[in-house]
Amino acid sequence: MSAIAGDDSRLVTAAGPDVTVRDPAAGTPVRVRTGHTAPVTSLVVAHDGTWAASGASGSLRVWDTGSGVDLRTLFGSRGPAAVTPDGLSVAAATDDGTAGLWEVSTGRRTQTFAGAPGTVTAITLLPGRPTAPPCVIIGTDRGALALWDPVSGARIRTFSGRGPTVEAVAAGDGRWLASATADGVVCLWDPETGLSLRSLDLPADGGATSLAASPDGRHLATTGQDATLRIWEAATGDCAACVRVEAPLRACEWHSDGSSVTAVGTGGLFAFAFHA
């Protein structure tokens, strides 16, 4: 898995129990952080790249990307996770199958998001829109998607309540969100109404292993078991570009200017330029 800072200052990847901080331009290792005793299952990095949080068989650990030193532990949290737009908190799944919000500076849990059907399996943040503030999006093992107010903890709406496990979620510029389910289906949704906008035409062997929305909200990147990175037009669902490597891809991240995508998989780390 991988995560990239919002300002492109840090690229962080995980393989097994070790986490590697890399130069995002060259992909070369800057520092390897050890300490987890099990494979890392959750990884996020601060927008300014100063800290990262990684989780393996337990609570998320927040650590300094410059020194590798642990800063604090977010007790009760586990993967998946996402950093809030202000960079001050981490939203993550919890030990009891719900989700919560933790303040990074103190490690204090400030909010709980409970009530959606099933156990939380995916999480992201939907940027603010003219008609609504930012919100937390979760997906569950019962195929549900739910939107939450991060300030009050109130559930805004739940939709897509039945179906296969939601394995990944991504949010555009506030006008759409995307989900990938265990049956290989990727759907785009209207967060205001909960209605399905369109499904993406993935091949039978290309079920999505990760999703990433471009910074301008125009494109969605997907990685697949078929070792292919695909770029989709969010407005139409058309495939704008695709490239195949030699082994399955597990995660992808856009760079801040939307001109390139980094993907990681069992065959290594790859960087691709994208020109819309």
Side-chain angles (χ1 to χ4, degrees):
M1 61 182 54
S2 65
I4 193 166
D7 63 0
D8 288 343
S9 60
R10 288 283 191 270
L11 171 65
V12 185
T13 62
D18 297 336
V19 183
T20 302
V21 180
R22 300 177 181 273
D23 179 293
T28 52
V30 175
R31 178 169 292 97
V32 177
R33 182 196 181 279
T34 60
H36 289 299
T37 58
V40 172
T41 57
S42 183
L43 183 64
V44 294
V45 62
H47 295 288
D48 63 2
T50 56
W51 57 265
S54 53
S57 67
S59 298
L60 290 169
R61 298 182 186 180
V62 179
W63 46 278
D64 187 291
T65 56
S67 65
V69 173
D70 279 8
L71 300 175
R72 60 195 52 84
T73 299
L74 309 182
F75 290 105
S77 63
R78 59 173 177 81
V83 181
T84 57
D86 61 13
L88 300 179
S89 300
V90 170
T94 62
D95 293 337
D96 61 5
T98 61
L101 198 65
W102 282 260
E103 190 176 63
V104 174
S105 62
T106 64
R108 182 173 62 95
R109 182 171 174 174
T110 59
Q111 199 56 264
T112 297
F113 309 116
T119 296
V120 174
T121 53
I123 193 165
T124 193
L125 278 296
L126 184 72
R129 295 152 285 161
T131 58
C135 60
V136 176
I137 305 164
I138 67 167
T140 77
D141 62 354
R142 295 186 187 177
L145 291 172
L147 279 65
W148 304 84
D149 183 325
V151 177
S152 68
R155 183 167 34 157
I156 299 169
R157 66 182 53 85
T158 300
F159 51 94
S160 180
R162 295 181 181 178
T165 296
V166 177
E167 297 192 328
V169 288
D173 56 357
R175 294 174 295 180
W176 57 269
L177 61 92
S179 65
T181 48
D183 58 355
V185 175
V186 174
C187 286
L188 271 67
W189 306 86
D190 183 334
E192 294 277 6
T193 64
L195 297 177
S196 174
L197 297 173
R198 60 193 56 86
S199 296
L200 303 184
D201 188 19
L202 275 74
D205 64 344
T209 53
S210 73
L211 307 173
S214 65
D216 62 6
R218 293 175 55 199
H219 297 94
L220 175 71
T222 65
T223 57
Q225 291 285 1
D226 61 352
T228 302
L229 170 72
R230 293 178 173 86
I231 308 296
W232 306 85
E233 299 278 357
T236 64
D238 294 334
C239 185
C242 67
V243 60
R244 179 169 288 190
V245 297
E246 65 271 15
L249 292 169
R250 303 297 185 194
C252 60
E253 299 283 344
W254 287 87
H255 289 249
S256 61
D257 62 0
S259 66
S260 56
V261 180
T262 295
V264 64
T266 55
L269 180 69
F270 306 88
F272 302 101
F274 173 68
H275 304 287

